[in-house]
Amino acid sequence: MRVEHQTGASFLAQGHSSASHLDLEGADDQGIRLDGATRVALMNRLNRRPTEAPAPQAVPTHKATPSNYGTPKSSSPTCYIILKNMFDPSEADEDPEVFDDVKEAVTEECAKFGTVEDIFTDKKSPDGLVYLKLDTVKAAEQTKSLLDGRWYAGKMVSVNYLTPDTYKSKRPT
């Protein structure tokens, strides 16, 4: 058996007008390696959909990260932190105590490192934001280390430090 690597682009360059002409019976001895366009066409063919491959789309290089959710962050550790993805505001329709439950769970986790001096939720935020003020920067660092990247209620939690001014500006009056 002869095995060769062939990209989808080179397959198409050999005179095949589109991936709809992909010869699956002959693929075993040709060793075809598919690119994105021919892979989509193959999957469509296997699903008995039209085999017209969509135009290639740019792959976003921007990855959603904790620093991308709209609140100014502190570049250095502070005792003020923000947690993202702690709840879905629509959950409050079914469980009005969801915000209190989240605050209780966060306070319990943070108590391992220090005292939570203040905590509040942004009840309208689609990002499930919880704001915390801890008693020391060290407690905030340990909290960030514990919770950042951890899963809570089916979502990955993101943690960032806030400046005191940002924290105070977000605090409901």
Side-chain angles (χ1 to χ4, degrees):
M1 175 177 8
R2 185 183 74 174
V3 178
E4 295 176 6
H5 289 288
Q6 182 174 5
T7 66
S10 65
F11 175 78
L12 295 173
Q14 290 180 352
H16 301 282
S17 60
S18 74
S20 64
H21 294 89
L22 184 60
D23 178 15
L24 296 178
E25 285 73 34
D28 289 339
D29 64 337
Q30 292 180 4
I32 297 171
R33 187 171 66 191
L34 303 175
D35 64 10
T38 54
R39 182 177 294 113
V40 168
L42 174 60
M43 294 308 295
N44 285 337
R45 182 173 172 189
L46 292 172
N47 286 318
R48 294 184 177 91
R49 294 183 191 139
T51 57
E52 184 75 25
Q57 296 181 2
V59 176
T61 57
H62 177 70
K63 195 172 144 185
T65 62
S67 61
N68 298 333
Y69 50 88
T71 301
K73 315 299 177 296
S74 174
S75 58
S76 59
T78 68
C79 60
Y80 301 93
I81 60 176
I82 182 172
L83 309 175
K84 179 184 175 191
N85 292 328
M86 292 300 297
F87 59 88
D88 181 342
S90 65
E91 295 171 3
D93 296 337
E94 295 176 21
D95 181 10
E97 295 178 8
V98 68
F99 303 115
D100 292 332
D101 293 344
V102 167
K103 289 194 298 188
E104 183 180 319
V106 169
T107 301
E108 186 177 309
E109 287 297 309
C110 296
K112 298 173 184 176
F113 310 116
T115 302
V116 175
E117 294 185 350
D118 189 30
I119 183 171
F120 62 93
T121 59
D122 182 345
K123 296 178 181 180
K124 296 182 192 233
S125 167
D127 294 325
L129 301 178
V130 176
Y131 296 83
L132 291 165
K133 179 184 179 194
L134 292 133
D135 60 339
T136 65
V137 172
K138 183 175 182 176
E141 289 174 320
Q142 291 172 318
T143 297
K144 183 178 191 313
S145 178
L146 175 70
L147 298 178
D148 196 29
R150 186 171 168 181
W151 290 86
Y152 181 80
K155 296 180 183 182
M156 185 183 290
V157 177
S158 299
V159 182
N160 271 310
Y161 300 108
L162 296 173
T163 64
D165 289 340
T166 300
Y167 183 87
K168 290 172 188 164
S169 72
K170 299 293 182 178
R171 183 79 174 99
T173 54

